[in-house]
């Protein structure tokens, strides 16, 4: 995984057909997705349950590029090895998931994955100050985690700007997760984000048997983020 700040579109398979994850991952990549975003929820840290390491391992052979695993679980540490073994390229944990985030980030890198740190909407940018030299990605939640299809929280744009200034020249991605669409994508891109997660806005109108709308949606979001309306 090489580092750059170009806009990357990361469709969240939370909005995919759960009975067809393998084919859905292949379809979004064929339609231009840069990363595949995988939302793991435990019904404890967030009020919804999705799936765990076994599902990640099962879909891994269907993903050519980056498998980006967003852990909305607490505790995190007992499961890091399993998600790394499942083939996650990026493992993102929440700063709110427990008191020992520093240890969690060390464990993610020790397991051979890139380390991501996610911030809930109510968590200030300053929380990442002492982690800046041990993270590869900071995920700004622009909805409250747990569900797809929620409304983008505009107050988070200021946080993205603050984080971009704090990061300076460090090779750290800023990821946006929640409510990204062609209207909100340019706002966060201008503020300094480079990885845009999008669930509903990518999968709407398409299916495994009709994947072309995925491509249209991805191109529209990318063009909006890059400042060129499609
Ligand atoms: C929310 C998840 C997101 C979600 C985004 O808890 O982390 O990745 O799937 O979905 P949309 O793009 O529909 O807001
Ligand atoms: Zn996510």
């Amino acid at each position: 995984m090489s580092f750059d700040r170009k806009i990357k579109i990361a469709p969240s398979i939370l909005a995919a057909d759960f009975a067809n994850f393998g084919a859905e991952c292949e379809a979004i990549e064929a339609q231009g997705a840069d990363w595949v975003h995988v939302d793991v929820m435990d019904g404890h840290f967030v009020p919804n349950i999705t799936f765990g390491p076994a599902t990640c391992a099962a879909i891994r052979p269907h993903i050519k590029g980056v498998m980006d695993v967003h852990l909305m679980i607490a505790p995190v540490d007992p499961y890091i090895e399993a998600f790394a073994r499942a083939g996650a390229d990026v493992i993102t944990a929440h700063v709110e998931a427990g008191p020992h985030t520093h240890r969690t980030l060390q464990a993610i890198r020790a397991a051979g994955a890139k380390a991501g740190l996610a911030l809930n909407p109510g968590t200030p940018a300053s929380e990442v100050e002492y982690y800046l030299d041990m993270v590869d990605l900071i995920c700004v939640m622009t909805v409250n985690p747990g569900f797809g299809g929620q409304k983008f929280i505009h107050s988070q744009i200021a946080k993205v700007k603050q984080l971009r200034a704090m990061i300076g020249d460090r090779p750290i991605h800023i990821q946006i997760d929640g409510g990204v669409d062609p209207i909100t994508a340019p706002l966060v891109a201008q503020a300094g984000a480079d990885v845009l997660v999008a669930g509903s806005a990518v999968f709407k109108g398409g299916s495994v048997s009709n994947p072309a709308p995925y491509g249209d949606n991805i191109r529209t979001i990318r063009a909006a983020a890059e400042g060129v309306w499609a």
Side-chain angles (χ1 to χ4, degrees):
M1 254 183 89
S2 60
F3 181 85
D4 64 58
R5 288 199 191 284
K6 282 190 292 219
I7 295 294
K8 288 164 282 294
I9 309 295
S12 164
I13 60 164
L14 188 61
D17 173 1
F18 272 44
N20 272 309
F21 276 145
E24 289 276 45
C25 290
E26 289 172 9
I28 51 177
E29 281 196 332
Q31 293 295 325
D34 298 290
W35 293 12
V36 176
H37 185 81
V38 181
D39 284 310
V40 175
M41 305 186 186
D42 66 352
H44 168 75
F45 179 69
V46 289
N48 193 9
I49 300 176
T50 54
F51 44 74
T55 304
C56 293
I59 65 175
R60 176 72 264 192
H62 300 273
I63 300 171
K64 293 196 196 111
V66 172
M67 182 160 93
D68 170 36
V69 176
H70 178 194
L71 298 181
M72 287 161 276
I73 65 174
V76 184
D77 295 8
Y79 304 101
I80 289 170
E81 268 295 328
F83 284 104
R85 272 201 310 273
D89 297 290
V90 181
I91 298 179
T92 296
H94 270 260
V95 71
E96 307 85 3
H100 297 298
T101 302
H102 194 281
R103 177 182 294 146
T104 301
L105 295 171
Q106 285 177 324
I108 293 172
R109 282 190 168 173
K114 299 282 186 195
L117 188 57
L119 308 182
N120 280 337
T123 302
S126 58
E127 278 284 328
V128 307
E129 182 179 354
Y130 290 98
Y131 304 126
L132 283 174
D133 292 316
M134 50 193 315
V135 293
D136 302 289
L137 175 149
I138 298 170
C139 172
V140 177
M141 293 304 306
T142 40
V143 298
N144 285 297
F147 303 96
Q150 304 181 81
K151 208 172 149 347
F152 181 88
I153 301 172
H154 282 261
S155 61
Q156 302 306 300
I157 295 168
K159 190 193 290 184
V160 175
K161 287 184 186 152
Q162 270 178 288
L163 287 168
R164 186 65 196 89
M166 288 168 73
I167 286 169
D169 291 334
R170 294 177 181 85
I172 301 175
H173 297 290
I174 298 183
Q175 178 175 67
I176 304 299
D177 192 0
V180 171
D181 63 21
I183 306 295
T184 56
L187 307 176
V188 289
Q190 273 157 24
D194 63 304
V195 185
L196 308 185
V197 174
S200 3
V202 165
F203 285 90
K204 72 164 187 212
S207 67
V208 167
S209 50
N210 175 33
Y214 299 166
D216 295 338
N217 295 336
I218 289 169
R219 280 187 294 276
T220 305
I221 298 167
R222 192 192 305 280
E226 289 174 347
V228 189
W229 286 88

